[in-house]
Amino acid sequence: MPTPPQRLTDRKREAIMRAAVDEFRTAGYEATSMDRIAAAAGVSKRTVYNHFPSKDALFGQMLEQLWNSSADGVDMAYRADLPLDRQLKQLLMQKLELLGDSNFIDLARVALAEIIHSPERAQDIVCRMGEKESGVTAWIQAAIADGRLAEVDPDFAGHQLQGLVKSFAFWPQVTLGQAPLSPEARKRVADSAVAMFLGCYARGSKP
């Protein structure tokens, strides 16, 4: 069944969001105005306010979108019948695909810049994003409960694993403007992270 065409109002909302990301990224929060966003989106200022009552609301929605992407991007239930390394590689490849998305990187740059200048504005969303690194943490917790990983704090181990990935596929892109990883580089990062993680925490002879 073909995908139904987007409504005009939805297209305008998406255009406003894209323009807001560009404006917040290039000019910063304080220097960005609703007038600038409207002009960049090719809509009237009234249209912008019809969708977002204030600049704070628009910025909050932008961070919400980033949080939702982070929350939905990694989701795989633990399976007792499959090798740990196979499951972890699939999980990390999902994560790497999300981190390689240019829209996600753009949103992350904007959010992090504002966190530095005005932590209170983004604090709630950032805390929620931290909670939603949960796809990996939930998987680790289930593997521990099944006796296949050593007894370790799942949050601690999850942060370790996320760090092994993000040091190659998030921080260089967000802070230094490096290009997203190639498919080959993603595989190398995932394979290495899995080997290091299971080398430390796996129980038994078959990871």
Side-chain angles (χ1 to χ4, degrees), residues 10-11 14 23 49 53-55 61-62 78 83 86 94 104-105 117 120 123 125 130 138 144 152 154 157 164 187 190:
D10 293 332
R11 293 199 299 271
E14 284 191 7
E23 292 298 321
Y49 277 109
S54 66
K55 186 169 72 169
Q61 181 60 42
M62 190 190 69
Y78 168 78
R86 176 177 162 188
Q94 288 181 8
F104 181 85
I105 292 298
H117 292 108
E120 67 280 0
Q123 186 174 15
I125 294 293
I144 293 171
V152 64
L164 290 172
K187 184 178 183 304

mmCIF file of all heavy atoms in Angstrom, residues 10-11 14 23 49 53-55 61-62 78 83 86 94 104-105 117 120 123 125 130 138 144 152 154 157 164 187 190:
data_model
loop_
_atom_site.group_PDB
_atom_site.id
_atom_site.type_symbol
_atom_site.label_atom_id
_atom_site.label_comp_id
_atom_site.label_asym_id
_atom_site.label_seq_id
_atom_site.Cartn_x
_atom_site.Cartn_y
_atom_site.Cartn_z
ATOM 1 N N ASP A 10 1.684 19.325 8.134
ATOM 2 C CA ASP A 10 2.789 18.488 8.598
ATOM 3 C C ASP A 10 4.076 18.847 7.877
ATOM 4 O O ASP A 10 5.161 18.856 8.481
ATOM 5 C CB ASP A 10 2.470 17.010 8.384
ATOM 6 C CG ASP A 10 1.321 16.519 9.254
ATOM 7 O OD1 ASP A 10 1.134 17.095 10.346
ATOM 8 O OD2 ASP A 10 0.613 15.590 8.840
ATOM 9 N N ARG A 11 3.974 19.127 6.583
ATOM 10 C CA ARG A 11 5.167 19.522 5.819
ATOM 11 C C ARG A 11 5.727 20.841 6.346
ATOM 12 O O ARG A 11 6.946 21.018 6.435
ATOM 13 C CB ARG A 11 4.837 19.630 4.328
ATOM 14 C CG ARG A 11 4.489 18.303 3.665
ATOM 15 C CD ARG A 11 4.638 18.385 2.159
ATOM 16 N NE ARG A 11 3.752 19.369 1.561
ATOM 17 C CZ ARG A 11 2.512 19.124 1.156
ATOM 18 N NH1 ARG A 11 1.995 17.904 1.315
ATOM 19 N NH2 ARG A 11 1.767 20.061 0.610
ATOM 20 N N GLU A 14 7.557 20.210 9.636
ATOM 21 C CA GLU A 14 8.873 19.631 9.400
ATOM 22 C C GLU A 14 9.849 20.679 8.891
ATOM 23 O O GLU A 14 11.019 20.700 9.286
ATOM 24 C CB GLU A 14 8.766 18.479 8.396
ATOM 25 C CG GLU A 14 8.200 17.210 8.987
ATOM 26 C CD GLU A 14 8.340 16.025 8.058
ATOM 27 O OE1 GLU A 14 9.008 16.166 7.005
ATOM 28 O OE2 GLU A 14 7.784 14.968 8.375
ATOM 29 N N GLU A 23 19.247 27.106 12.286
ATOM 30 C CA GLU A 23 19.443 28.416 12.900
ATOM 31 C C GLU A 23 20.057 28.306 14.291
ATOM 32 O O GLU A 23 20.977 29.057 14.644
ATOM 33 C CB GLU A 23 18.102 29.167 12.970
ATOM 34 C CG GLU A 23 17.545 29.577 11.627
ATOM 35 C CD GLU A 23 18.470 30.531 10.890
ATOM 36 O OE1 GLU A 23 19.078 31.411 11.540
ATOM 37 O OE2 GLU A 23 18.598 30.393 9.661
ATOM 38 N N TYR A 49 4.270 30.324 14.913
ATOM 39 C CA TYR A 49 3.619 30.400 16.224
ATOM 40 C C TYR A 49 2.384 29.506 16.318
ATOM 41 O O TYR A 49 1.994 29.088 17.414
ATOM 42 C CB TYR A 49 3.247 31.852 16.545
ATOM 43 C CG TYR A 49 4.398 32.640 17.126
ATOM 44 C CD1 TYR A 49 5.024 33.641 16.387
ATOM 45 C CD2 TYR A 49 4.867 32.366 18.410
ATOM 46 C CE1 TYR A 49 6.086 34.361 16.906
ATOM 47 C CE2 TYR A 49 5.925 33.085 18.948
ATOM 48 C CZ TYR A 49 6.537 34.071 18.190
ATOM 49 O OH TYR A 49 7.590 34.777 18.717
ATOM 50 N N PRO A 53 4.320 27.810 20.344
ATOM 51 C CA PRO A 53 3.937 29.083 20.963
ATOM 52 C C PRO A 53 5.111 29.980 21.345
ATOM 53 O O PRO A 53 4.918 31.172 21.586
ATOM 54 C CB PRO A 53 3.153 28.644 22.208
ATOM 55 C CG PRO A 53 3.608 27.251 22.486
ATOM 56 C CD PRO A 53 3.927 26.654 21.167
ATOM 57 N N SER A 54 6.315 29.429 21.433
ATOM 58 C CA SER A 54 7.468 30.236 21.826
ATOM 59 C C SER A 54 8.753 29.584 21.326
ATOM 60 O O SER A 54 8.756 28.419 20.907
ATOM 61 C CB SER A 54 7.538 30.370 23.354
ATOM 62 O OG SER A 54 7.809 29.096 23.940
ATOM 63 N N LYS A 55 9.834 30.340 21.386
ATOM 64 C CA LYS A 55 11.130 29.789 20.997
ATOM 65 C C LYS A 55 11.548 28.688 21.962
ATOM 66 O O LYS A 55 12.123 27.671 21.551
ATOM 67 C CB LYS A 55 12.195 30.898 20.969
ATOM 68 C CG LYS A 55 13.544 30.432 20.437
ATOM 69 C CD LYS A 55 14.497 31.591 20.179
ATOM 70 C CE LYS A 55 15.003 32.213 21.446
ATOM 71 N NZ LYS A 55 16.130 33.162 21.205
ATOM 72 N N GLN A 61 10.941 21.061 21.753
ATOM 73 C CA GLN A 61 10.474 20.038 20.828
ATOM 74 C C GLN A 61 11.637 19.446 20.037
ATOM 75 O O GLN A 61 11.666 18.250 19.744
ATOM 76 C CB GLN A 61 9.445 20.633 19.861
ATOM 77 C CG GLN A 61 8.868 19.639 18.872
ATOM 78 C CD GLN A 61 8.163 18.484 19.551
ATOM 79 O OE1 GLN A 61 7.432 18.679 20.530
ATOM 80 N NE2 GLN A 61 8.359 17.271 19.055
ATOM 81 N N MET A 62 12.590 20.292 19.725
ATOM 82 C CA MET A 62 13.775 19.821 19.005
ATOM 83 C C MET A 62 14.566 18.834 19.871
ATOM 84 O O MET A 62 15.001 17.778 19.394
ATOM 85 C CB MET A 62 14.662 21.008 18.633
ATOM 86 C CG MET A 62 15.787 20.669 17.688
ATOM 87 S SD MET A 62 16.921 22.051 17.569
ATOM 88 C CE MET A 62 17.651 22.031 19.199
ATOM 89 N N TYR A 78 16.854 -9.364 24.716
ATOM 90 C CA TYR A 78 17.837 -10.419 24.959
ATOM 91 C C TYR A 78 17.224 -11.781 24.634
ATOM 92 O O TYR A 78 16.061 -12.048 24.915
ATOM 93 C CB TYR A 78 18.273 -10.392 26.427
ATOM 94 C CG TYR A 78 19.062 -11.613 26.841
ATOM 95 C CD1 TYR A 78 20.402 -11.739 26.507
ATOM 96 C CD2 TYR A 78 18.438 -12.659 27.533
ATOM 97 C CE1 TYR A 78 21.116 -12.871 26.881
ATOM 98 C CE2 TYR A 78 19.145 -13.788 27.909
ATOM 99 C CZ TYR A 78 20.487 -13.891 27.571
ATOM 100 O OH TYR A 78 21.192 -15.008 27.923
ATOM 101 N N PRO A 83 23.962 -16.703 20.577
ATOM 102 C CA PRO A 83 25.258 -16.304 21.130
ATOM 103 C C PRO A 83 25.264 -14.828 21.531
ATOM 104 O O PRO A 83 24.658 -13.990 20.858
ATOM 105 C CB PRO A 83 26.231 -16.562 19.970
ATOM 106 C CG PRO A 83 25.540 -17.543 19.079
ATOM 107 C CD PRO A 83 24.076 -17.248 19.204
ATOM 108 N N ARG A 86 26.797 -12.376 18.840
ATOM 109 C CA ARG A 86 25.890 -12.093 17.711
ATOM 110 C C ARG A 86 24.840 -11.056 18.099
ATOM 111 O O ARG A 86 24.543 -10.120 17.333
ATOM 112 C CB ARG A 86 25.222 -13.389 17.268
ATOM 113 C CG ARG A 86 24.182 -13.229 16.165
ATOM 114 C CD ARG A 86 23.652 -14.594 15.759
ATOM 115 N NE ARG A 86 22.399 -14.498 15.041
ATOM 116 C CZ ARG A 86 21.658 -15.540 14.707
ATOM 117 N NH1 ARG A 86 22.067 -16.763 15.007
ATOM 118 N NH2 ARG A 86 20.517 -15.383 14.060
ATOM 119 N N GLN A 94 22.809 -1.293 15.324
ATOM 120 C CA GLN A 94 21.648 -0.402 15.394
ATOM 121 C C GLN A 94 22.069 0.966 15.935
ATOM 122 O O GLN A 94 21.681 2.009 15.400
ATOM 123 C CB GLN A 94 20.570 -0.994 16.299
ATOM 124 C CG GLN A 94 19.829 -2.188 15.738
ATOM 125 C CD GLN A 94 18.758 -2.692 16.699
ATOM 126 O OE1 GLN A 94 18.471 -2.057 17.723
ATOM 127 N NE2 GLN A 94 18.178 -3.826 16.385
ATOM 128 N N PHE A 104 20.374 13.343 13.215
ATOM 129 C CA PHE A 104 20.649 13.102 14.632
ATOM 130 C C PHE A 104 21.881 13.879 15.081
ATOM 131 O O PHE A 104 21.887 14.506 16.147
ATOM 132 C CB PHE A 104 20.850 11.606 14.874
ATOM 133 C CG PHE A 104 21.117 11.262 16.315
ATOM 134 C CD1 PHE A 104 20.075 11.074 17.199
ATOM 135 C CD2 PHE A 104 22.420 11.133 16.784
ATOM 136 C CE1 PHE A 104 20.318 10.763 18.537
ATOM 137 C CE2 PHE A 104 22.670 10.820 18.113
ATOM 138 C CZ PHE A 104 21.614 10.634 18.992
ATOM 139 N N ILE A 105 22.928 13.853 14.263
ATOM 140 C CA ILE A 105 24.157 14.580 14.603
ATOM 141 C C ILE A 105 23.895 16.078 14.682
ATOM 142 O O ILE A 105 24.382 16.763 15.601
ATOM 143 C CB ILE A 105 25.262 14.271 13.580
ATOM 144 C CG1 ILE A 105 25.706 12.807 13.695
ATOM 145 C CG2 ILE A 105 26.469 15.196 13.778
ATOM 146 C CD1 ILE A 105 26.305 12.437 15.028
ATOM 147 N N HIS A 117 25.944 26.443 27.311
ATOM 148 C CA HIS A 117 25.637 27.837 27.605
ATOM 149 C C HIS A 117 24.513 28.001 28.625
ATOM 150 O O HIS A 117 24.490 28.958 29.388
ATOM 151 C CB HIS A 117 25.249 28.572 26.309
ATOM 152 C CG HIS A 117 26.385 28.739 25.353
ATOM 153 N ND1 HIS A 117 26.486 28.027 24.176
ATOM 154 C CD2 HIS A 117 27.489 29.519 25.414
ATOM 155 C CE1 HIS A 117 27.599 28.363 23.547
ATOM 156 N NE2 HIS A 117 28.227 29.260 24.276
ATOM 157 N N GLU A 120 20.378 24.625 32.439
ATOM 158 C CA GLU A 120 19.038 24.438 32.994
ATOM 159 C C GLU A 120 17.983 24.274 31.911
ATOM 160 O O GLU A 120 16.966 23.608 32.107
ATOM 161 C CB GLU A 120 18.668 25.614 33.906
ATOM 162 C CG GLU A 120 18.492 26.955 33.215
ATOM 163 C CD GLU A 120 19.808 27.660 32.914
ATOM 164 O OE1 GLU A 120 20.876 27.104 33.255
ATOM 165 O OE2 GLU A 120 19.764 28.767 32.341
ATOM 166 N N GLN A 123 18.362 20.533 30.791
ATOM 167 C CA GLN A 123 18.699 19.537 31.798
ATOM 168 C C GLN A 123 17.729 18.363 31.826
ATOM 169 O O GLN A 123 18.122 17.199 31.881
ATOM 170 C CB GLN A 123 18.754 20.194 33.180
ATOM 171 C CG GLN A 123 19.232 19.258 34.279
ATOM 172 C CD GLN A 123 19.415 19.988 35.603
ATOM 173 O OE1 GLN A 123 18.936 21.103 35.776
ATOM 174 N NE2 GLN A 123 20.118 19.384 36.524
ATOM 175 N N ILE A 125 15.673 17.136 29.491
ATOM 176 C CA ILE A 125 15.768 16.268 28.321
ATOM 177 C C ILE A 125 17.056 15.463 28.357
ATOM 178 O O ILE A 125 17.074 14.272 28.025
ATOM 179 C CB ILE A 125 15.696 17.101 27.031
ATOM 180 C CG1 ILE A 125 14.312 17.742 26.898
ATOM 181 C CG2 ILE A 125 15.987 16.244 25.809
ATOM 182 C CD1 ILE A 125 13.193 16.759 26.665
ATOM 183 N N GLY A 130 19.766 10.221 28.958
ATOM 184 C CA GLY A 130 20.644 9.304 29.660
ATOM 185 C C GLY A 130 19.902 8.053 30.100
ATOM 186 O O GLY A 130 20.404 6.936 29.989
ATOM 187 N N ALA A 138 19.224 -2.686 29.305
ATOM 188 C CA ALA A 138 18.237 -3.744 29.540
ATOM 189 C C ALA A 138 18.754 -5.088 29.029
ATOM 190 O O ALA A 138 18.543 -6.130 29.668
ATOM 191 C CB ALA A 138 16.916 -3.388 28.860
ATOM 192 N N ILE A 144 22.844 -10.831 32.442
ATOM 193 C CA ILE A 144 23.345 -11.094 33.804
ATOM 194 C C ILE A 144 22.382 -12.025 34.526
ATOM 195 O O ILE A 144 22.790 -13.007 35.166
ATOM 196 C CB ILE A 144 23.512 -9.776 34.581
ATOM 197 C CG1 ILE A 144 24.636 -8.927 33.977
ATOM 198 C CG2 ILE A 144 23.799 -10.049 36.057
ATOM 199 C CD1 ILE A 144 24.712 -7.519 34.549
ATOM 200 N N VAL A 152 27.639 -7.477 37.489
ATOM 201 C CA VAL A 152 28.168 -6.123 37.380
ATOM 202 C C VAL A 152 26.984 -5.171 37.346
ATOM 203 O O VAL A 152 25.871 -5.562 36.982
ATOM 204 C CB VAL A 152 29.025 -5.984 36.092
ATOM 205 C CG1 VAL A 152 28.177 -6.188 34.847
ATOM 206 C CG2 VAL A 152 29.750 -4.639 36.049
ATOM 207 N N PRO A 154 24.561 -3.037 35.766
ATOM 208 C CA PRO A 154 24.207 -2.926 34.348
ATOM 209 C C PRO A 154 24.373 -1.517 33.790
ATOM 210 O O PRO A 154 24.785 -1.343 32.636
ATOM 211 C CB PRO A 154 22.735 -3.361 34.307
ATOM 212 C CG PRO A 154 22.530 -4.170 35.529
ATOM 213 C CD PRO A 154 23.452 -3.579 36.564
ATOM 214 N N ALA A 157 28.174 -0.995 33.238
ATOM 215 C CA ALA A 157 28.631 -1.749 32.070
ATOM 216 C C ALA A 157 28.060 -1.170 30.781
ATOM 217 O O ALA A 157 28.734 -1.125 29.746
ATOM 218 C CB ALA A 157 28.246 -3.220 32.216
ATOM 219 N N LEU A 164 32.659 2.891 24.289
ATOM 220 C CA LEU A 164 33.491 2.268 23.266
ATOM 221 C C LEU A 164 33.010 2.618 21.869
ATOM 222 O O LEU A 164 33.805 2.747 20.934
ATOM 223 C CB LEU A 164 33.476 0.740 23.445
ATOM 224 C CG LEU A 164 34.200 0.188 24.673
ATOM 225 C CD1 LEU A 164 33.929 -1.311 24.808
ATOM 226 C CD2 LEU A 164 35.698 0.452 24.592
ATOM 227 N N LYS A 187 31.460 -1.597 11.304
ATOM 228 C CA LYS A 187 31.624 -3.013 11.632
ATOM 229 C C LYS A 187 32.863 -3.224 12.495
ATOM 230 O O LYS A 187 32.840 -3.994 13.461
ATOM 231 C CB LYS A 187 31.719 -3.840 10.356
ATOM 232 C CG LYS A 187 31.795 -5.344 10.607
ATOM 233 C CD LYS A 187 31.836 -6.118 9.315
ATOM 234 C CE LYS A 187 31.838 -7.633 9.574
ATOM 235 N NZ LYS A 187 32.951 -8.061 10.442
ATOM 236 N N ALA A 190 32.105 -2.013 16.030
ATOM 237 C CA ALA A 190 31.202 -2.937 16.721
ATOM 238 C C ALA A 190 31.913 -4.228 17.105
ATOM 239 O O ALA A 190 31.798 -4.699 18.244
ATOM 240 C CB ALA A 190 29.997 -3.239 15.834
#
